Amino acid sequence: MPCPFCHPENIITSNALAYAIYDKYPVNSGHILIIPKRHVSDYFETTIEERTAFNELLEECKELLDYQFKPNGYNIGINCGEVAGQTIFHVHVHLIPRFKGDMDEPRGGVRGVIPEKQKY
């Protein structure tokens, strides 16, 4: 099966090394993926230049989401490896807007990847 991120559609914004699209299966309205143009499976295989490109787009996309959706917070995450939940092996950064009341108890944030460890 061809990589869905190697031939992107509906790009929101881009720079020389990365681009951003809306997630096809969003956690919340405005959920964005930031993806390197180079096919690379894992964040730890990216270059410093690609990481800088990710960060530039994270800032740009946050401004866009602040304007369009006015979220109360954000989660930023990367799944590295199948056991971490990665299903598309072309690295991508999730920028997920969070809204007051979108879940009953958000405390623990990204710790929720292992639900019994979220509450502490």
Side-chain angles (χ1 to χ4, degrees):
M1 184 164 132
C3 174
F5 294 157
C6 284
H7 302 285
E9 296 178 2
N10 303 317
I11 294 173
I12 300 167
T13 188
S14 67
N15 58 30
L17 298 177
Y19 66 90
I21 60 173
Y22 287 109
D23 192 300
K24 286 186 179 180
Y25 306 99
V27 171
N28 268 337
S29 297
H31 182 167
I32 288 177
L33 302 178
I34 298 168
I35 305 164
K37 292 179 178 178
R38 179 174 71 99
H39 183 91
V40 57
S41 64
D42 189 288
Y43 175 81
F44 297 105
E45 297 171 4
T46 61
T47 66
I48 294 298
E49 293 80 11
E50 287 168 325
R51 293 175 192 182
T52 299
F54 293 160
N55 284 328
E56 289 171 2
L57 291 182
L58 276 169
E59 294 291 335
E60 186 177 336
C61 290
K62 180 196 178 293
E63 287 182 24
L64 172 74
L65 295 174
D66 283 348
Y67 176 76
Q68 285 186 330
F69 295 96
K70 298 175 180 37
N72 305 105
Y74 288 93
N75 288 113
I76 300 168
I78 305 169
N79 300 322
C80 296
E82 189 174 352
V83 299
Q86 186 174 5
T87 57
I88 297 173
F89 291 89
H90 184 144
V91 67
H92 48 287
V93 180
H94 293 261
L95 177 60
I96 303 172
R98 297 300 305 273
F99 301 92
K100 186 175 177 132
D102 65 5
M103 66 180 298
D104 290 337
E105 181 54 61
R107 184 174 184 211
V110 297
R111 295 173 61 91
V113 299
I114 300 177
E116 61 271 12
K117 301 285 186 174
Q118 184 172 6
K119 308 297 182 225
Y120 58 96

